[in-house]
């Protein structure tokens, strides 16, 4: 459970920079709007927070 929590934290930290790079480079072939970036931000934050909780319960 500790490893899963740590992986979720790392994934949550990686999501937002990847989303910003995709926005700046137009890698998807379409523009990502502000609403999509907000969803990615909330998903990354939630993933990090839930991973932190899981890691805390594992100890």
């Amino acid at each position: 459970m500790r490893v899963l929590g740590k992986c979720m934290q790392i994934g949550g930290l990686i999501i937002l920079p990847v989303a910003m790079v995709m926005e700046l480079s137009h890698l998807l072939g379409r523009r990502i709007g502000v609403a999509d970036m907000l969803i990615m931000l909330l998903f990354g934050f939630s993933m990090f927070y839930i991973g932190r909780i899981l890691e805390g319960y594992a100890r």
Side-chain angles (χ1 to χ4, degrees):
M1 199 133 130
R2 183 175 181 198
V3 173
L4 176 65
K6 190 61 100 174
C7 289
M8 288 179 71
Q9 287 179 15
I10 292 170
L13 288 175
I14 290 173
I15 286 176
L16 188 58
V18 168
M20 288 189 290
V21 168
M22 288 186 336
E23 167 71 23
L24 293 173
S25 67
H26 302 289
L27 195 65
L28 296 176
R30 63 179 178 85
R31 287 186 50 97
I32 297 177
V34 174
D36 294 331
M37 292 293 290
L38 183 60
I39 290 171
M40 289 180 195
L41 171 71
L42 292 175
F43 181 74
F45 175 77
S46 300
M47 193 169 167
F48 181 84
Y49 191 71
I50 292 170
R52 178 65 188 112
I53 291 171
L54 284 176
E55 185 185 13
Y57 280 137
R59 293 184 183 185

